[in-house]
Amino acid sequence: MPTLNAAKQVSDRINRIEVSATLAVVNEASKLRAKGIDLVDFGAGEPFFPTPRHIKDAAIDAIEKNFTKYTAVAGIPELRQAIVDRHRADFGSDYSPLEVVASTGGKLALFDAIQVLVDHGDEVIIPVPYWVSFKDIVQYAGGVCVYLPTDEAAGFQLTAEMVAGAITPRTRAIILNSPGNPSGAVFPPQEIEAIVRLAHERGIYVIVDECYVYLAYEGKPFSAGSLTKYKEHIVVVGSLSKTYSMTGWRMGYSMSPEPIAKAIGKLQSQMTSSSNHIVQKAAVAALNGPQDCVQEMKREYMALREIAMQGICDIAAVSCYRPAGAFYIYPRIEKYFGKGGIKTAAELAHRLLHEAHVVTIPGEGFGTDEHIRISYAVTREDLKEGLRRMKAYLESL
């Protein structure tokens, strides 16, 4: 009887990816907390606000009414309609419920979309710096990542001209993330439209990660989904996690042309089936209910940005782009390489965690070697204390 080759215990596709850099740091921090160490956590990037009351009440009501049975894979009709209605009201898009698939978090929505669109050898253009999971999800699908570096001095901006220079006959998709994680960069609407138009003309899909779309600090938030004449080649990936402080609820969605939405639904039917049914009811309340909470949280993030920028720029030898959205700063720390034996951003983040007791994410996970990411979605007190610890530690090296 044939036996499993001991050298190949797992599939090749799982070996194409790595553990999320963010979650790896979160796990390491959890071990230190278990030992009673007091940490300031700038790592995971989740709102410190509680989920708004009306959303929690909707979930409680769903439990009390025994809404605990199977639902359609793509989501209950009222949720899909609520996603369409909210996006149309805020951005002027034109989707139907048949073009929506609700998912267990925005990450699954992104994973589903890439698995449906990308075949082995297909190229996917990814601007650098990028969110940690983009490259691994593409590689898991068998795709080839084409990294497109952006210039920090120019605000990490991406242009259609840059994208055009990276397109080849194998290009299948472009991933856009604005406001961006980890940089906080926001692409101008006219540039997003130019990129989408270019992709449409070339028959290339644009996958738009809108996790932070409501956290653009200047002007009216913009969605590529509003470019209705190009929607044939647009896949919008959204999430309620950051917008409504619902990270642990795990609710995301995608909006795409109906044939793609059907394919995503088919894939999801063999994975998770539908998303959590109680959470679906809570999501309806979030999308259809009062939106004041979104603006209140945004105002606080803007205030926290000022504290973060002042604190990080007070640290000698550290420079930082001023973010235009999301809730991250991405400071350059390479001038500390060589001090205290530190050679990389990963080593510096490790030392900050274990010696200064501040959680940060090293830039290697985002495609750059000279940065660390700091989430300022924390209380003002924690932000100030963490920055104080960083300054004291780095300037002692």
Side-chain angles (χ1 to χ4, degrees):
M1 185 174 182
T3 57
L4 180 67
N5 183 344
K8 185 179 179 180
Q9 295 181 326
V10 297
S11 66
D12 290 337
R13 63 182 174 275
I14 200 65
N15 284 327
R16 291 198 292 263
I17 67 174
E18 301 172 358
V19 174
S20 164
T22 306
L23 294 181
V25 173
V26 169
N27 291 338
E28 191 173 357
S30 296
K31 294 176 183 177
L32 294 180
R33 283 196 194 89
K35 297 177 180 179
I37 295 174
D38 173 40
L39 300 178
V40 177
D41 194 346
F42 294 158
E46 64 176 342
F48 69 93
F49 299 100
T51 303
R53 182 74 256 171
H54 66 285
I55 300 174
K56 292 190 285 190
D57 286 343
I60 294 168
D61 185 60
I63 294 171
E64 295 294 345
K65 292 180 178 177
N66 297 313
F67 188 72
T68 56
K69 307 299 182 184
Y70 291 135
T71 66
V73 169
I76 58 176
E78 62 182 306
L79 173 57
R80 296 165 81 185
Q81 188 65 57
I83 291 168
V84 165
D85 290 345
R86 172 54 50 202
H87 207 269
R88 180 184 295 118
D90 293 341
F91 303 111
S93 57
D94 184 27
Y95 289 96
S96 76
L98 293 176
E99 296 171 309
V100 176
V101 179
S103 61
T104 306
K107 184 181 287 189
L108 180 61
L110 178 72
F111 181 92
D112 287 347
I114 290 174
Q115 300 308 309
V116 162
L117 291 175
V118 176
D119 273 324
H120 188 80
D122 286 346
E123 294 179 354
V124 179
I125 297 172
I126 302 176
V128 181
Y130 47 75
W131 179 51
V132 294
S133 292
F134 288 159
K135 71 177 182 67
D136 291 283
I137 295 175
V138 169
Q139 289 171 177
Y140 187 83
V144 177
C145 298
V146 176
Y147 299 114
L148 191 54
T150 58
D151 184 0
E152 182 172 357
F156 296 109
Q157 289 299 302
L158 183 71
T159 67
E161 182 180 5
M162 293 165 63
V163 172
I167 292 175
T168 76
R170 296 292 300 177
T171 303
R172 178 65 169 167
I174 304 160
I175 298 179
L176 297 183
N177 177 213
S178 175
N181 175 4
S183 69
V186 176
F187 303 150
Q190 64 271 21
E191 205 61 62
I192 293 177
E193 180 169 7
I195 293 168
V196 171
R197 181 172 60 249
L198 170 66
H200 180 75
E201 291 169 351
R202 304 285 186 92
I204 297 167
Y205 287 96
V206 179
I207 302 170
V208 188
D209 177 355
E210 294 193 347
C211 184
Y212 302 93
V213 70
Y214 288 98
L215 295 181
Y217 294 152
E218 304 298 331
K220 190 177 186 297
F222 176 80
S223 167
S226 66
L227 304 172
T228 55
K229 59 184 175 180
Y230 307 125
K231 77 182 275 191
E232 176 187 352
H233 289 103
I234 299 172
V235 177
V236 173
V237 174
S239 169
L240 276 65
S241 291
K242 309 306 195 291
T243 307
Y244 299 102
S245 194
M246 294 177 67
T247 51
W249 296 70
R250 310 310 305 136
M251 174 52 62
Y253 59 87
S254 61
M255 298 187 296
S256 58
E258 191 172 342
I260 297 174
K262 286 182 177 179
I264 290 173
K266 179 168 69 172
L267 175 60
Q268 192 163 288
S269 76
Q270 299 294 355
M271 296 173 63
T272 61
S273 296
S274 68
S275 54
N276 182 289
H277 309 155
I278 295 160
V279 174
Q280 289 188 55
K281 286 290 190 178
V284 171
L287 294 161
N288 288 345
Q291 301 298 300
D292 299 14
C293 56
V294 178
Q295 297 307 314
E296 290 170 6
M297 286 188 275
K298 177 178 172 179
R299 284 193 291 271
E300 180 62 12
Y301 293 138
M302 293 175 73
L304 289 166
R305 175 184 62 171
E306 302 311 308
I307 297 171
M309 286 299 300
Q310 179 178 347
I312 205 70
C313 291
D314 280 347
I315 300 174
V318 174
S319 61
C320 188
Y321 161 74
R322 178 181 173 82
F327 42 58
Y328 306 104
I329 55 174
Y330 200 50
R332 296 184 68 97
I333 43 74
E334 79 273 21
K335 290 184 179 179
Y336 283 96
F337 295 171
K339 297 184 177 182
I342 294 170
K343 298 178 182 178
T344 66
E347 290 178 5
L348 189 145
H350 181 84
R351 296 272 289 273
L352 283 172
L353 174 61
H354 288 271
E355 298 177 33
H357 299 155
V358 178
V359 186
T360 62
I361 309 295
E364 289 94 337
F366 306 102
T368 68
D369 296 329
E370 59 282 330
H371 298 82
I372 56 173
R373 191 194 74 175
I374 293 171
S375 168
Y376 54 83
V378 297
T379 66
R380 298 188 186 197
E381 293 75 17
D382 281 349
L383 181 57
K384 292 175 182 177
E385 172 60 17
L387 291 167
R388 184 197 66 77
R389 293 183 188 184
M390 286 182 64
K391 178 179 173 66
Y393 179 76
L394 291 175
E395 293 183 354
S396 71
L397 291 174

